Amino acid sequence: MSEFYAFAVEHLPYILEGLPITLGLWVLAMTIGAAFGLVLAWARLYGNTLVYGAATVYVELFRGTPMLVQMLFIYLGLPEVGIVFDPFTAAVIAIGLNTSAYQAEYFRGAIRSIPRGQMQAARAMGMTPLQGLRWIVLPQALRRVIPQWSNEAILELKYTSIAYAIGVSEITARAEKVGYETFMFFEVFLLLALVYIVLTGTVAQVLLYLEKRTAVPGL
Amino acid sequence: MLLKVENIHKRYDETEVLKGVSLEMETGQSKVIMGPSGTGKSTLLRCINYLTPPDEGRVLVEGTEITSRNLNRMREKLAFVFQDFNLFTHLRAVDNVAIGPRKIRGMSRRAAHELAMRELERVGLSERSHAYPAELSGGQQQRVSIARALAMEPKIILFDEPTSALDPELTGEVIAVMKQLASEGMTMLLVSHEVGFARQAADEIIFMDGGHILEQGPPAQLFDAPQHERTRQFLSRIGQGGEAA
Ligand SMILES: Nc1ncnc2c1ncn2[C@@H]1O[C@H](COP(=O)(O)OP(=O)(O)OP(=O)(O)O)[C@@H](O)[C@H]1O
Ligand SMILES: [Mg+2]
């Protein structure tokens, strides 16, 4: 145990230097995912046949293929048609687009779960459909979606680790490097797992707090 | 003429639910629509503020016809009170009332809040202003929804069976508020089977049957000397001795 402690003290700082990258990937990807997810949800709920169809194909495509394949395609495949990203950007895009497909479905489900009478009352008083969505339906739907969104956020936090496959120097890549330098793979990946557990645990607590803070009786 | 409803037709698939309904309201009048279930009463109210656009016919408020283009502005003049309240679940009572003035009428947060508090006071709920809808009784929720309608300072309020989702012991408080509004000169068009309210506060009763207005007139005439057999049958079913007259 004390050997593990000594190992951690020695190598943790190096691994944690990748933390800003891991968290940066995560925050940017979740933000893109939420914004684009809302647009997709809107398209799937209210779009005409063409818009609905395009959004549906997108959602099924990204949910039906591995994120690693998507990331490799964006980083290694797209340059062949002249679209080149650095590894970090490619990873943000891949994770962001992937999570947007999942978030879209959560948003869509939450919006649909709001009783029709809410939008009707909003329209009856003279709100436009967009105002009704903005002021009445979304505030309720977003509260309802927090538990699912939290799961998704935690899943994506773990998924940032696959950016290591395209050479992003986030915490998993750095841990692996320590492993090859020390040949103490058991210790280093155990240590890495502990880092992830602290991260996901913290995020879960923060989001739970948010859920409690925004809770409204009857919603 | 404040409200003019001309020859409204509405069909759902094969069945024609409204077969040419016309009515008029002067400022300050209260009219109560009655009639058997499935007759098109709710559909008529919903056509009047275009929640359900009519297939044919026109609705004019202060001489201006409602169209798809002026719809949102016209709806500010035609408040709607729903049978099941439809209060905004995520907003406290006062914010339910204030949101229309703020977001639609463009009032400042403070002015909207003050207006909302005044309207809540009017329906006797100022001390519950911070409660969420789920924390209020049905009668209280309906009173908040009336305050929400009032805060838009509408020309007319349309009520669709405002008391029929309530437990019998809770209808009184809502009816009291509606009577008070009628006496203050609010123009009100209601679908309601509350005979007590209708006799006391309505200027006219409109009896609908099968997508038509069958007869209309002052409460005394319609309740005590109905012209049509269908009206008599209906009145006796809701406990009003139509035949006796
Ligand atoms: N959205 C709809 N789609 C299809 N049919 C409808 C729709 N809304 C109403 N109807 C039908 O239209 C007819 C009139 O309905 P409406 O709700 O206007 O009656 P009502 O007089 O308000 O009845 P109640 O007293 O039960 O409220 C009914 O036969 C109903 O089934
Ligand atoms: Mg009805």
Side-chain angles (χ1 to χ4, degrees):
Chain A
M1 197 60 213
S2 65
E3 275 167 47
F4 180 69
Y5 181 75
F7 178 87
V9 168
E10 189 180 347
H11 296 289
L12 193 56
Y14 177 78
I15 293 173
L16 290 185
E17 275 174 45
L19 198 55
I21 307 247
T22 292
L23 294 178
L25 275 178
W26 177 64
V27 169
L28 289 173
M30 284 309 287
T31 307
I32 292 173
F36 196 35
L38 271 177
V39 174
L40 286 167
W42 171 83
R44 296 252 289 155
L45 283 168
Y46 308 115
N48 59 30
T49 319
L50 197 73
V51 169
Y52 170 87
T56 305
V57 168
Y58 177 94
V59 166
E60 295 308 331
L61 201 69
F62 275 89
R63 293 200 311 170
T65 53
M67 194 197 288
L68 181 57
V69 174
Q70 295 160 13
M71 198 178 287
L72 292 172
F73 181 82
I74 288 168
Y75 182 62
L76 298 174
L78 289 185
E80 285 186 25
V81 294
I83 306 171
V84 182
F85 296 111
D86 64 84
F88 180 83
T89 309
V92 166
I93 293 172
I95 301 171
L97 294 186
N98 182 280
T99 184
S100 74
Y102 287 92
Q103 290 188 43
E105 288 304 275
Y106 299 139
F107 289 141
R108 186 171 76 113
I111 289 171
R112 280 178 51 153
S113 77
I114 305 305
R116 287 169 45 107
Q118 296 286 306
M119 181 57 110
Q120 247 173 39
R123 296 301 317 276
M125 49 197 301
M127 286 196 193
T128 62
L130 218 59
Q131 284 178 315
L133 197 64
R134 168 68 187 84
W135 299 112
I136 306 302
V137 175
L138 270 187
Q140 299 182 30
L142 291 181
R143 281 180 172 87
R144 282 201 185 171
V145 89
I146 292 177
Q148 285 170 310
W149 197 87
S150 303
N151 280 339
E152 177 66 12
I154 287 164
L155 209 63
E156 297 305 324
L157 179 52
K158 293 181 287 180
Y159 265 133
T160 57
S161 63
I162 70 172
Y164 118 101
I166 59 171
V168 178
S169 187
E170 44 67 68
I171 56 177
T172 299
R174 296 174 87 86
E176 194 206 30
K177 204 164 160 214
V178 171
Y180 279 114
E181 280 165 7
T182 61
F183 290 102
M184 295 174 79
F185 289 106
F186 182 89
E187 289 81 354
V188 76
F189 286 120
L190 189 63
L191 185 60
L192 180 63
L194 287 175
V195 171
Y196 276 113
I197 263 287
V198 170
L199 289 180
T200 54
T202 308
V203 169
Q205 286 309 309
V206 169
L207 289 172
L208 202 63
Y209 173 75
L210 181 74
E211 188 182 339
K212 294 225 171 83
R213 263 305 293 273
T214 58
V216 159
L219 240 182
Chain B
M1 197 58 59
L2 180 55
L3 174 71
K4 224 170 151 157
V5 176
E6 290 178 1
N7 194 32
I8 299 286
H9 287 258
K10 181 70 193 179
R11 118 186 344 270
Y12 287 117
D13 306 320
E14 289 305 289
T15 45
E16 190 162 31
V17 175
L18 294 177
K19 301 169 181 166
V21 176
S22 303
L23 61 86
E24 293 186 345
M25 306 261 309
E26 305 258 25
T27 302
Q29 280 190 320
S30 295
K31 297 193 178 185
V32 174
I33 303 172
M34 294 189 170
S37 183
T39 302
K41 305 181 298 295
S42 298
T43 307
L44 174 62
L45 277 200
R46 298 169 62 86
C47 280
I48 291 176
N49 85 338
Y50 271 61
L51 274 179
T52 305
D55 298 332
E56 236 181 273
R58 311 196 299 163
V59 177
L60 295 93
V61 181
E62 295 179 314
T64 309
E65 183 179 349
I66 301 184
T67 64
S68 56
R69 256 184 291 133
N70 66 15
L71 188 56
N72 294 315
R73 240 174 324 117
M74 297 299 281
R75 277 179 176 153
E76 294 178 38
K77 303 179 186 215
L78 287 171
F80 202 103
V81 172
F82 296 86
Q83 181 172 344
D84 42 9
F85 336 128
N86 289 335
L87 285 182
F88 303 132
T89 318
H90 63 302
L91 297 178
R92 298 174 190 275
V94 63
D95 297 319
N96 259 279
V97 182
I99 193 157
R102 274 204 71 192
K103 302 303 176 193
I104 303 170
R105 300 176 63 201
M107 287 172 70
S108 72
R109 176 193 293 269
R110 187 187 176 139
H113 182 86
E114 282 168 5
L115 172 65
M117 288 306 294
R118 279 200 301 280
E119 301 299 359
L120 283 178
E121 180 136 29
R122 243 170 122 180
V123 299
L125 280 174
S126 38
E127 77 288 357
R128 299 293 280 142
S129 64
H130 268 59
Y132 284 101
E135 298 168 331
L136 297 170
S137 73
Q140 291 174 329
Q141 288 189 56
Q142 192 59 297
R143 282 148 69 200
V144 173
S145 96
I146 292 172
R148 178 174 68 177
L150 289 170
M152 295 303 290
E153 295 178 349
K155 301 289 179 196
I156 306 171
I157 307 182
L158 309 173
F159 295 80
D160 190 5
E161 304 209 37
T163 56
S164 55
L166 300 176
D167 294 335
E169 70 271 22
L170 297 178
T171 60
E173 59 190 73
V174 173
I175 290 171
V177 167
M178 296 192 306
K179 277 184 185 164
Q180 175 202 325
L181 291 181
S183 73
E184 288 169 8
M186 175 57 73
T187 312
M188 297 159 62
L189 180 60
L190 306 90
V191 173
S192 173
H193 294 150
E194 295 287 346
V195 175
F197 172 86
R199 274 189 187 274
Q200 202 186 320
D203 299 292
E204 194 170 83
I205 310 299
I206 297 171
F207 181 74
M208 275 185 74
D209 190 37
H212 293 284
I213 293 179
L214 197 59
E215 63 179 304
Q216 53 191 320
Q221 178 193 316
L222 202 111
F223 287 132
D224 302 328
Q227 301 299 302
H228 288 267
E229 181 55 30
R230 292 283 297 167
T231 316
R232 276 195 285 277
Q233 285 172 358
F234 175 77
L235 289 174
S236 71
R237 225 180 318 130
I238 63 169
Q240 288 295 299
E243 287 97 326

